[in-house]
Amino acid sequence: MDKTERLFAIMDALRRHRLPVTAASLAEEQGVSVRTLYRDVQTLIGLGAPIDGEAGVGYMLKPGFFLPPLMFTPEELEALVLGARWVGAQPDDGLGAAARNALAKIATASPEDLRDRINDTGLWPVAVWSAKTPMPVLGQVRQAMRTEKAVQIAYGDEAGNATERTIWPVQLAYYEGKQTIAAWCCLRGAFRNFRTDRIETLTVTQERYGKRRAVLEREWRDSWQHDPRHNGRDQPG
């Protein structure tokens, strides 16, 4: 790796950390000495990179910094394309369009035109389910999670019996052929999973969650880990 590539790699590493990261950790990751890492950081600062910190304390990027041009290794580009194509195969039209737009922005924001490389990665997700039917509720649930607004649903059980509930969505899981909402159910006073294909109606209200979603997510993960039904099973994302 030459110096220019190493400087970009250091910036990428700093982007991944929200707290200061030591020079020793950065140097180990880049495969260079700590002295070389110090010189690289000073070079970046001299080029205008807003890096806070100092030797012996740690370094971090100031919030909101964006460093063009975008540089991608072949593996990074393949991962982006494959991920975007998988999203595009989901019945979430909003995310599918966003994924296509993101790839277009990546192609034009790079120092070389990446459109040909993006179109010729040779990687495609295999959808084993039938042709997708758009599900608007997915976009509504994502909106609710972003704004932390309660959702009212009419939900049908296996027998087709519907109940009216208010839920606070915490996670939205996309499986092959189905999607599941993990949420706090105000009706049951507990976390519950809801299959989107059983939701008969859904309305995003103006009512706020009773707790911040980050707090709910921690509680949901804790309840999952301590539920004996999940012993030996992977925790959902």
Side-chain angles (χ1 to χ4, degrees):
M1 181 184 298
D2 62 24
K3 183 173 181 178
T4 300
E5 292 175 328
R6 193 170 67 244
L7 293 178
F8 277 112
I10 292 171
M11 294 299 294
D12 287 339
L14 289 173
R15 284 193 187 99
R16 293 194 298 269
H17 293 276
R18 299 179 63 181
L19 298 176
V21 55
T22 65
S25 296
L26 288 171
E28 181 179 1
E29 182 177 335
Q30 304 304 319
V32 298
S33 67
V34 173
R35 178 175 297 180
T36 297
L37 192 284
Y38 285 148
R39 289 199 297 265
D40 287 345
V41 169
Q42 291 306 311
T43 298
L44 287 167
I45 292 175
L47 292 172
I51 298 175
D52 279 340
E54 59 186 41
V57 177
Y59 298 103
M60 64 182 299
L61 279 179
K62 294 180 181 178
F65 176 67
F66 175 75
L67 179 67
L70 297 175
M71 303 289 288
F72 298 100
T73 67
E75 289 78 12
E76 289 171 342
L77 189 62
E78 288 171 353
L80 289 170
V81 172
L82 183 59
R85 287 173 175 169
W86 188 87
V87 170
Q90 301 298 312
D92 191 328
D93 284 350
L95 278 187
R100 290 189 294 273
N101 289 340
L103 283 182
K105 289 179 180 180
I106 289 170
T108 57
S110 300
E112 60 175 311
D113 192 327
L114 295 178
R115 284 174 290 186
D116 288 341
R117 288 176 57 192
I118 285 175
N119 291 330
D120 192 31
T121 60
L123 303 177
W124 288 91
V126 177
V128 298
W129 59 92
S130 58
K132 67 177 183 178
T133 300
M135 298 188 66
V137 299
L138 298 174
Q140 293 174 288
V141 172
R142 290 189 287 103
Q143 174 194 351
M145 290 194 297
R146 286 195 301 268
T147 59
E148 298 186 352
K149 296 293 179 64
V151 170
Q152 291 180 344
I153 62 172
Y155 189 73
D157 60 19
E158 294 182 3
N161 302 313
T163 55
E164 300 286 338
R165 304 166 185 250
T166 297
I167 63 173
W168 305 337
V170 177
Q171 293 279 328
L172 178 56
Y174 290 76
Y175 298 90
E176 290 191 354
K178 67 177 182 179
Q179 302 78 38
T180 301
I181 304 167
W184 177 262
C185 178
C186 297
L187 177 65
R188 304 303 184 198
F191 290 106
R192 291 289 188 269
N193 293 332
F194 300 93
R195 284 176 43 172
T196 55
D197 60 336
R198 292 182 179 171
I199 294 177
E200 299 178 3
T201 63
L202 183 148
T203 303
V204 180
T205 73
Q206 293 304 308
E207 177 188 343
R208 301 284 298 183
Y209 286 10
K211 298 181 181 180
R212 298 303 305 268
R213 194 177 75 84
V215 175
L216 287 169
E217 183 174 5
R218 289 194 296 269
E219 294 178 352
W220 168 72
R221 289 182 181 276
D222 185 65
S223 69
W224 176 277
Q225 291 172 345
H226 291 86
D227 189 331
R229 293 173 298 175
H230 301 147
N231 286 345
R233 293 173 54 185
D234 291 337
Q235 181 178 348

